[in-house]
Amino acid sequence: MPQHRNRIRVVLTWAVDAVAWSIGLTVAVLARFEWDLTQQRLAGTAAMIVLAIGGHTMLGHMHFLYRGRYGFGTFEEVRAVTVTVLVCAAAMMTVALLATTRPVPLSAVVVGSPLTLVLMLGIRYVRRLHRQRIRRPDARTAAPVLLFGAGDAGQQLIRSMLGDPNCRYVPVGVLDDDPAKRHLRVAGVSVLGTRHDIPKAAAETGAATVIFAVSNADGALVRDVQALAQRAGVKFKVLPSVSELLDGRVSVGDVRDVQITDILGRHQIETDLDAIAGYLTGKRVLVTGAGGSIGSELCRQIHRFAPAELMMLDRDESALHAVQLSLHGRALLDGRDLILADLRDTAAIRRILAERRPQVIFHAAALKHLALLESHPGEAVKSNVWGTQTMLEHAHGVERFVNISTDKAANPTSVLGYTKRITERLTAHASTRHTGTFLNVRFGNVLGSRGSVLTAFTAQIASGGPVTVTDPEVTRYFMTVQEAVQLVIQAAAIGRDGEALVLEMGKPVRIADVARQLIEQAPRPVEIVYTGLRAGEKLHEELFGAGERDVRPLHQLISQVEVPPLDPGKVEYLDPDGDPAQLVVDLAALCDVSAFVHA
């Protein structure tokens, strides 16, 4: 049945084009002779029409115009129709010029061909408008909505809505702060004003929902538009950030309720895909800590760039199962892409690096819970310091080594900060000993990662509270895991030997405000209890240490700071099984950049 309907559509399309040629050439001849048609002129006109239809049919077949290649009324079909008409007109003019007796004046072809093209395209346009109209959502069942954002994402969303008769939304207006878009209409939907016109637009259109349709907006803009929508008494929904929409396409199915990551973690990120592909595509890439929040997202994003081999190393078999499942939709755990190993097993790491010969390494494996490491500094040394040094020592032939660090390494005051600062310095030392590029990437808290404050607050709210916050004034930097990893991959493309690349994290956010935002979305009130700062914690985190300057020569969101090397021989004498207090003193001493000058 569908095939039968397709044949009918093709025949009707051809008939429309044939009639267009008939009308176009006839009108041109009538105009040329001012309606004074003799029998000879009528016969010549008929002959030229037959020639035009025959030539158009043949050329149209060659361009797949009547063979189902193009959707009706699409730009691709318009291009094919235009080329066919122009070539056909050129052929008729050639015949007319070579003929001893011209069947019609040459001017009839010159005038008739454009008229024919206008008729063909006009009929297709009218048909397309009709199809769009019948495919619009039913206004009786679809909820009227306003969109904030008339850019690419907003326009895609409007067309997605209007192209689905079963869509639950029908767009009735757009809001945008850009003055250049004041009179813009998208598929018949008008821009009604700026964000401050939300109350007026909602009252005039009857819309009860505002959809935030700016996929590359930062969290501050999301918060502001949400507040305006709440004051206007309308619901607020969002499109995911551009980092979540990795394929770049927007549809109605992407619209969702606002999440805390939208409010706190959105950052506008521009990535140089060519530069990234240059060091990842076709390369053997190893990710340590591949089962963790950062490691697993690294694997998912690196996978898009088609590496020759993506090796995922972790000591947690369940985490490896989860990341393989997220990449391939299945997890048989029998491929060479999964490597079950512990960084503390020096012999195993040495063997793996020698056998698999990775060209790019993202070292994300680490112990990261600040309070726990304060109680167990020896474990931090074994995993964070010695584990990293094992990777660095045996990374022979590696073209690029990226050590994932943390903002706690800037002016460190905790065991976590000390050990991560030491790994930055060890990586800087390795850059002087290996031929590849060895660098660090430093950033703050990742929203939604395992053990993050967001995860903890969500669990506390689900259990009825209270939500525990260390101090009313404590602030932290936040970024979503997708955005952090995007910048990590970008930073690795531009970083220079021995540097620490510091990612732009936006403005620091008060943890108490995060708790309140989450509590507002809870079904019942939850109490906030302040517990006081724990050992090693700062009231306000820093991204730059003493003497480090915020310099961004290559990317507006990535600072590049120098890191003084640290001789790995200094860390060999650390005693993780000795006195914990003395170990912390020794770790702090190794972070003093003035105390050790590499020869």
Side-chain angles (χ1 to χ4, degrees):
M1 194 68 170
Q3 192 172 14
H4 177 66
R5 285 199 300 267
N6 187 56
R7 286 200 200 95
I8 294 175
R9 187 181 68 83
V10 168
V11 171
L12 288 175
T13 303
W14 175 85
V16 164
D17 292 347
V19 171
W21 273 114
S22 302
I23 294 174
L25 290 175
T26 300
V27 170
V29 172
L30 288 172
R32 169 66 177 80
F33 294 111
E34 298 182 350
W35 299 87
D36 182 17
L37 294 182
T38 64
Q39 189 173 0
Q40 182 179 3
R41 290 169 181 169
L42 284 172
T45 302
M48 187 57 73
I49 289 173
V50 171
L51 177 64
I53 293 174
H56 186 91
T57 302
M58 182 181 66
L59 290 168
H61 185 78
M62 293 171 59
H63 287 113
F64 292 87
L65 196 55
Y66 308 113
R67 297 163 66 183
R69 170 171 288 186
Y70 310 106
F72 193 84
T74 62
F75 289 113
E76 291 80 6
E77 188 189 34
V78 167
R79 183 173 59 248
V81 169
T82 303
V83 171
T84 300
V85 170
L86 292 177
V87 173
C88 189
M92 287 191 297
M93 291 178 65
T94 302
V95 170
L97 288 170
L98 295 177
T100 306
T101 303
R102 293 177 183 171
V104 295
L106 196 61
S107 60
V109 179
V110 174
V111 174
S113 299
L115 180 58
T116 297
L117 180 60
V118 169
L119 287 170
M120 291 180 182
L121 299 183
I123 292 170
R124 283 169 168 81
Y125 177 69
V126 170
R127 172 60 177 155
R128 180 169 176 169
L129 286 180
H130 174 69
R131 293 181 65 184
Q132 287 178 346
R133 189 170 290 110
I134 64 176
R135 294 179 67 182
R136 289 175 67 96
D138 189 341
R140 294 170 298 180
T141 57
V145 296
L146 294 169
L147 273 67
F148 178 81
D152 289 341
Q155 294 185 30
Q156 286 184 52
L157 183 58
I158 289 173
R159 293 190 173 94
S160 175
M161 289 177 176
L162 295 179
D164 180 5
N166 299 315
C167 182
R168 64 186 186 274
Y169 302 121
V170 58
V172 293
V174 188
L175 302 159
D176 198 291
D177 291 339
D178 186 354
K181 295 185 172 74
R182 181 181 302 172
H183 303 294
L184 180 68
R185 288 174 66 89
V186 181
V189 182
S190 301
V191 172
L192 304 178
T194 68
R195 74 180 86 170
H196 301 290
D197 295 306
I198 289 176
K200 178 183 175 183
E204 291 178 350
T205 61
T209 302
V210 171
I211 298 177
F212 188 91
V214 185
S215 60
N216 65 340
D218 60 21
L221 180 59
V222 180
R223 291 193 296 272
D224 192 23
V225 176
Q226 182 193 31
L228 290 168
Q230 288 174 339
R231 285 200 289 270
V234 297
K235 296 177 182 177
F236 183 74
K237 294 183 179 293
V238 298
L239 276 181
S241 66
V242 70
S243 59
E244 295 176 75
L245 296 169
L246 291 178
D247 59 1
R249 292 190 293 272
V250 172
S251 69
V252 180
D254 295 316
V255 176
R256 57 168 169 74
D257 291 331
V258 66
Q259 299 173 357
I260 195 70
T261 52
D262 299 310
I263 298 171
L264 299 178
R266 283 194 173 195
H267 298 77
Q268 297 186 34
I269 298 174
E270 295 179 5
T271 53
D272 185 348
L273 296 180
D274 291 334
I276 292 172
Y279 82 91
L280 288 178
T281 302
K283 298 297 178 67
R284 297 183 301 277
V285 182
L286 170 66
V287 178
T288 70
S293 305
I294 297 296
S296 60
E297 183 63 24
L298 271 168
C299 292
R300 282 187 285 272
Q301 294 198 27
I302 291 169
H303 181 69
R304 296 170 50 227
F305 293 97
E309 187 178 9
L310 176 56
M311 296 166 271
M312 298 175 282
L313 186 150
D314 204 293
R315 65 179 181 179
D316 185 339
E317 59 180 344
S318 297
L320 287 177
H321 178 274
V323 70
Q324 189 183 55
L325 187 64
S326 71
L327 282 179
H328 306 295
R330 58 182 180 82
L332 301 179
L333 301 179
D334 58 354
R336 282 174 52 83
D337 57 337
L338 300 185
I339 303 174
L340 187 63
D342 193 327
L343 290 181
R344 299 182 180 194
D345 188 342
T346 303
I349 296 300
R350 183 192 305 118
R351 185 185 69 255
I352 289 166
L353 295 179
E355 291 177 356
R356 305 298 292 272
R357 296 180 298 109
Q359 296 166 287
V360 180
I361 295 177
F362 287 90
H363 178 49
L367 298 177
K368 64 178 183 179
H369 288 280
L370 185 147
L372 195 60
L373 296 185
E374 288 298 307
S375 302
H376 304 276
E379 297 303 305
V381 169
K382 293 174 184 177
S383 291
N384 295 2
V385 178
W386 288 353
T388 299
Q389 179 53 32
T390 297
M391 293 293 302
L392 292 168
E393 184 179 352
H394 300 290
H396 303 295
V398 171
E399 298 174 6
R400 199 169 296 262
F401 186 103
V402 183
N403 175 46
I404 305 299
S405 187
T406 169
D407 57 355
K408 293 172 178 59
N411 295 328
T413 58
S414 63
V415 170
L416 173 58
Y418 296 146
T419 57
K420 295 305 285 185
R421 176 58 179 176
I422 291 169
T423 66
E424 288 185 355
R425 298 190 63 194
L426 291 173
T427 302
H429 176 272
S431 71
T432 68
R433 292 292 185 263
H434 294 288
T435 56
T437 301
F438 285 66
L439 54 92
N440 305 279
V441 179
R442 183 193 301 170
F443 53 91
N445 295 272
V446 173
L447 285 166
S449 63
R450 289 192 303 180
S452 71
V453 65
L454 178 60
T455 306
F457 285 172
T458 302
Q460 288 176 332
I461 291 171
S463 64
V467 171
T468 55
V469 178
T470 54
D471 188 281
E473 300 302 319
V474 68
T475 63
R476 293 292 181 264
Y477 292 96
F478 287 104
M479 179 176 278
T480 66
V481 65
Q482 294 89 359
E483 291 161 344
V485 168
Q486 264 188 280
L487 279 179
V488 167
I489 294 175
Q490 178 68 69
I494 65 175
R496 296 176 295 225
D497 247 358
E499 288 183 328
L501 292 99
V502 184
L503 306 188
E504 169 61 58
M505 300 293 295
K507 295 181 179 179
V509 178
R510 287 201 301 182
I511 299 296
D513 291 341
V514 177
R516 292 189 190 98
Q517 289 278 358
L518 286 170
I519 290 171
E520 285 178 4
Q521 301 176 34
R524 58 185 181 276
V526 176
E527 181 186 6
I528 297 178
V529 174
Y530 296 101
T531 60
L533 289 175
R534 295 170 294 183
E537 281 191 319
K538 298 178 182 179
L539 189 63
H540 307 292
E541 291 288 6
E542 305 161 273
L543 292 174
F544 300 94
E548 294 179 342
R549 294 187 301 117
D550 185 356
V551 179
R552 310 182 186 198
L554 300 176
H555 195 286
Q556 62 180 355
L557 297 181
I558 302 173
S559 304
Q560 297 176 240
V561 300
E562 295 182 3
V563 176
L566 174 65
D567 189 332
K570 302 290 185 180
V571 303
E572 292 179 4
Y573 298 103
L574 292 171
D575 184 6
D577 299 317
D579 178 28
Q582 182 59 47
L583 179 58
V584 172
V585 171
D586 294 341
L587 289 172
L590 291 177
C591 295
D592 183 359
V593 297
S594 63
F596 301 96
V597 179
H598 176 66

